[in-house]
Amino acid sequence: MMQQGKVIELSSSIALLAAKLSLDLKTPMADSIILATAQIHDAVLWTQDDDFEGLSGVKYFPTASS
């Protein structure tokens, strides 16, 4: 069974937080937008992308090949 998702538009508040996160964490802007969106919506970010490993609010699971 697939869960439904929700499309979130890139708002100015998400963009500004993403820019700050990108500078502070030295993460690529695309990753920072994803993280900022999760933070603003009080969501936990579940990922296998190692760029997010160790970040607050992130549940990182390495891939089988890692």
Side-chain angles (χ1 to χ4, degrees):
M1 175 193 244
M2 183 176 282
Q3 293 182 340
Q4 290 183 333
K6 181 178 180 184
V7 175
I8 304 291
E9 290 191 30
L10 180 59
S11 65
S12 58
S13 58
I14 292 172
L16 289 170
L17 178 56
K20 181 178 180 345
L21 291 171
S22 184
L23 287 172
D24 292 349
L25 302 174
K26 309 290 189 254
T27 54
M29 186 53 113
D31 288 346
S32 298
I33 291 170
I34 293 167
L35 183 58
T37 302
Q39 288 181 359
I40 285 177
H41 290 277
D42 295 321
V44 175
L45 176 60
W46 293 70
T47 185
Q48 291 185 306
D49 183 338
D50 60 4
D51 286 340
F52 293 100
E53 185 176 7
L55 297 180
S56 178
V58 174
K59 296 289 184 182
Y60 169 71
F61 295 92
T63 60
S65 63
S66 293

